[in-house]
Amino acid sequence: MIGELSPALIVIIGSALTVFFPGGWPRNIFSLAVIALAGYQLHALGLGEYGQYSLFGETLTLTRIDGLARIFAVIFLIAMALNTVYGWWLRDAGQQAVSLAYPGAALGGVLAGDLVTLFVFWELAAITSVFLIWAGNNERSFGAGMRYLVWQIGSGVLLLAGIALFYRSTGSFAFENFIDGGMSLTDPAVLCIFIAFGIKSAFPLLHNWVQDAYPESTVTGTIILSVFTTKMAVASIARGFAGVEALVYIGAVMTAFPIFFAVIENDLRRVLTYSLNNQVGFMIVGIGIGTPMALNGAAGYAFCNILFEGLLFMAMGAVLYRTGTIKGSELGGLYKTMPLTAFFCIIGAASISAFPLFSGFITKGLIISGAAEGHYFWVWMTLLFAAAGVFHHSGIKIPYFAFFAHDSGKRPDEAPLSMLIAMGITAALCVGIGVAQIFTGPEGDPLYALMPFEVVIEKSYSPYISYTAPHVLTQMQILFFSGLAFAVLQKTGLYPPELRSTNLDTDWFYRVPGRVALLGIVGGVVALWRAVWGVTKGLIGGAVNGLYHSHGPEGRMARTWSVGYTALFTAIVLGIALIAVFSVR
């Protein structure tokens, strides 16, 4: 153990040192060593609060490790290691450094023990992550990065305003459940913080930055981006707003609306970003329900989602790397030369669809059962619909159109070895988490042991016991009818074809008319400035000309005065001076 040094600071310091190592295996080995050291420090510190410091007379906590922070910290570190292995072929020192600095900042956010520390890591994550988008190194990625930065900095400004208002109201920077502390969403401080968290977690109408920015990043950058920002926000919402009923309905909308966009989207990485919105929606519902079971479901599902959604992004990254395109209309038939990538993609698809024996199955049920037990009937129905929709667009569409469907004629090589190793490890974790409970029971399930809240399992039909006949049968029915619907729509030609098109989402309002309005405002300001400057320039010019005529070489003041006028002028000046002196006395 290195004193009370935060694991997040170990990763961030390590990211700065990576640039001093030569590209290739030395830099990658060092990155893995940094991640391993941070993991060791997390384990060695154990549960508790560390690294306390003082600000404005308040004692702040740099590192708080409790059940909620621990489960997110563990999966963040696993994801960092997998991303490093996946991008082993990279020789870009800047991108590799940011690939550690950004996750390190997100790790600091979930371990933050107070609002000030959270804000520092919140902004650091925003600033470092945008370089992964700009690493796309083209005009589209630059524009997307700028829009992404506006959203992220806007979230930070709201968070800072909320913290300032919260401190003025309470005299504290404590980061605990705001509602349990006697405040409500109508309080300006709490509302600012709530919206700031909502932007980062991509609430409906605040979600467009995900689809706009993530697919414009590099092959490896998109995978890293998909893991940390929204999950850091989920962890923050779970700590600050657990049990807020509004989240139940916000999350339900989040699970449903992306399905329709994902079905008609042609860019397969963008399909996965809509899936990301959908998956975070399940977590938000669980947090809103607020029972220990639902909160465990939200945290556990976040853990699993980072793995299986990351696996799908890895598979699509390998396809993009080998073919140069990720459009569904330009792919198909790749299983012939990329069979291992196709196999790993199918495992990710089965996991995100919550098939029995895969990781999504043992965690998503906790959230859906929580909605049923909380008597949220329509929310429960929405979650069932959303679960079917996930299978439809991520479970079937992604592997089908990338590797099967029509034969595109492309015969690329299999993914590089480092990509296959990372995908293989991730796939093994997805399956291992899914089957562990069969052998250990819920009491010995390693993932359940990581969950933040302890729950005593007293009934044989408890939602924590995943492999019961009703649970398996219900899930298989959902998956069967969703698959049947896809097959029927495909055979009848009613399924939306994969066309080269642009999917219009609500970001259109600020990217098209918003841009026109902004340019109009800028043009109006420029025209107003020119008019004001013209008038001012005229007035100044007139004054200068008047002075020139009076005091210039040919002006009145430059002419030779007679002795009489000179004596009179001198007398007047002396008189004014005498009056001024006597007035002061």
Side-chain angles (χ1 to χ4, degrees), residues 223 226 231 271-277 279-280 304-314 348 352 394 430:
I223 300 165
S226 71
K231 305 310 182 300
V271 171
L272 288 175
T273 60
Y274 279 113
S275 173
L276 186 62
N277 286 141
Q279 298 292 287
V280 172
C304 295
N305 174 262
I306 287 173
L307 293 173
F308 55 64
E309 191 110 40
L311 179 56
L312 290 171
F313 272 109
M314 287 180 186
I352 199 171
S394 290
C430 289

Side-chain angles (χ1 to χ4, degrees), residues 206-291:
L206 304 175
H207 68 282
N208 305 117
W209 57 268
V210 178
Q211 288 74 38
D212 182 21
Y214 285 10
E216 302 302 332
S217 184
T218 61
V219 168
T220 56
T222 299
I223 300 165
I224 299 168
L225 288 166
S226 71
V227 173
F228 297 101
T229 296
T230 52
K231 305 310 182 300
M232 176 176 64
V234 167
S236 299
I237 293 173
R239 187 173 299 284
F241 295 99
V244 174
E245 191 173 26
L247 290 172
V248 177
Y249 303 103
I250 292 172
V253 174
M254 287 180 71
T255 64
F257 85 85
I259 294 171
F260 302 99
F261 288 101
V263 167
I264 61 175
E265 178 59 61
N266 187 29
D267 185 310
L268 297 184
R269 291 205 299 180
R270 191 164 274 113
V271 171
L272 288 175
T273 60
Y274 279 113
S275 173
L276 186 62
N277 286 141
N278 162 278
Q279 298 292 287
V280 172
F282 279 94
M283 304 168 205
I284 296 299
V285 169
I287 294 169
I289 293 169
T291 61

Side-chain angles (χ1 to χ4, degrees), residues 67-72 75 231 234-235 238 282-284 286-287 292-306 363 366-367 447 450-453:
L68 180 63
R70 181 179 58 185
I71 189 170
F72 281 93
I75 190 56
K231 305 310 182 300
V234 167
F282 279 94
M283 304 168 205
I284 296 299
I287 294 169
M293 180 180 70
L295 289 170
N296 280 351
Y301 197 60
F303 188 102
C304 295
N305 174 262
I306 287 173
T363 50
L366 298 178
I367 300 172
L447 177 58
L450 265 180
M451 288 182 176
F453 299 99

Side-chain angles (χ1 to χ4, degrees), residues 394-430:
S394 290
I396 300 176
K397 178 174 180 173
I398 292 293
Y400 179 72
F401 284 107
F403 298 100
F404 305 100
H406 56 278
D407 192 340
S408 64
K410 291 180 170 63
R411 297 293 182 267
D413 293 336
E414 182 58 276
L417 180 61
S418 63
M419 290 186 177
L420 292 176
I421 292 173
M423 287 190 285
I425 295 172
T426 309
L429 288 171
C430 289

Side-chain angles (χ1 to χ4, degrees), residues 520-585:
I521 292 171
V522 171
V525 170
V526 170
L528 179 62
W529 168 253
R530 287 175 177 172
V532 171
W533 173 244
V535 173
T536 305
K537 184 178 179 181
L539 294 173
I540 294 173
V544 170
N545 288 333
L547 289 172
Y548 181 83
H549 289 308
S550 297
H551 299 279
E554 303 298 329
R556 290 187 298 271
M557 299 299 290
R559 297 172 185 166
T560 303
W561 288 12
S562 65
V563 176
Y565 280 115
T566 302
L568 178 62
F569 179 75
T570 304
I572 292 172
V573 171
L574 288 174
I576 293 171
L578 288 172
I579 293 171
V581 170
F582 284 108
S583 296
V584 172
R585 288 182 179 180

